[in-house]
């Protein structure tokens, strides 16, 4: 019986080739897969963005909590109460100086031509 070396070479090359294909498959999915490295980087970026938004919302809430604390009956600040009442009702104190500003030209059609006597 005479044997040639061809089938033996193919058999020896087949095992490393299959191993290389399997390793390539897992390496590709470790980088680009749904739970891979790039998805992890994207998730980290989203976490950083949401942490920043959370810090901004917490700061705004602390500011509002301070303002609410000033309006509580046991620590009522008369100046803040006066300011909020005037802003809400649109009133002014008789001793206040009120300065009326003209509307910008883009919003007021009356400012298109100069008025005589003004």
């Amino acid at each position: 019986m005479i044997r040639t070396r061809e089938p033996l070479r193919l058999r020896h090359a087949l095992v490393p080739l299959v191993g290389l294909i399997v390793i390539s498959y897992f390496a590709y999915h470790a980088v680009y897969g749904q739970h891979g490295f790039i998805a992890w980087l994207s998730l980290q970026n989203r976490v950083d963005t949401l942490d920043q938004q959370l810090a901004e919302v917490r700061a705004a809430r602390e500011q509002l909590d301070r303002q609410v604390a000033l309006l509580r009956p046991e620590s009522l600040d008369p100046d803040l109460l006066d300011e909020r009442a005037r802003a809400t009702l649109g009133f002014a104190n008789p001793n206040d100086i009120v300065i009326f500003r003209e509307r910008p030209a883009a919003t007021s059609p009356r400012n298109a031509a100069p008025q005589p006597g003004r």
Side-chain angles (χ1 to χ4, degrees):
M1 181 177 222
I2 301 174
R3 291 181 124 177
T4 61
R5 292 277 195 204
E6 294 298 324
L8 190 59
R9 285 186 194 164
L10 182 61
R11 196 177 317 147
H12 284 298
L14 187 62
V15 172
L17 182 64
V18 169
L20 181 64
I21 291 172
V22 168
I23 289 173
S24 299
Y25 173 81
F26 285 114
Y28 173 82
H29 285 287
V31 174
Y32 297 106
Q34 185 178 4
H35 302 289
F37 183 70
I38 293 179
W40 179 76
L41 288 176
S42 174
L43 197 60
Q44 284 299 109
N45 187 19
R46 177 112 170 103
V47 166
D48 292 341
T49 302
L50 291 176
D51 281 341
Q52 182 181 5
Q53 288 178 357
L54 178 63
E56 291 171 2
V57 167
R58 282 186 177 163
R61 177 171 178 157
E62 288 174 6
Q63 176 65 27
L64 289 173
D65 285 343
R66 283 192 294 271
Q67 288 180 352
V68 166
L70 291 175
L71 292 174
R72 291 204 173 108
E74 58 271 359
S75 65
L76 187 61
D77 183 15
D79 291 334
L80 183 62
L81 180 63
D82 185 53
E83 173 190 335
R84 295 310 314 149
R86 288 180 193 206
T88 303
L89 299 174
F91 290 131
N93 191 338
N95 296 330
D96 286 346
I97 298 173
V98 179
I99 300 173
F100 294 101
R101 294 185 288 169
E102 291 186 28
R103 293 183 181 169
T107 59
S108 177
R110 293 187 307 150
N111 291 343
Q115 299 283 334
R118 276 193 157 191

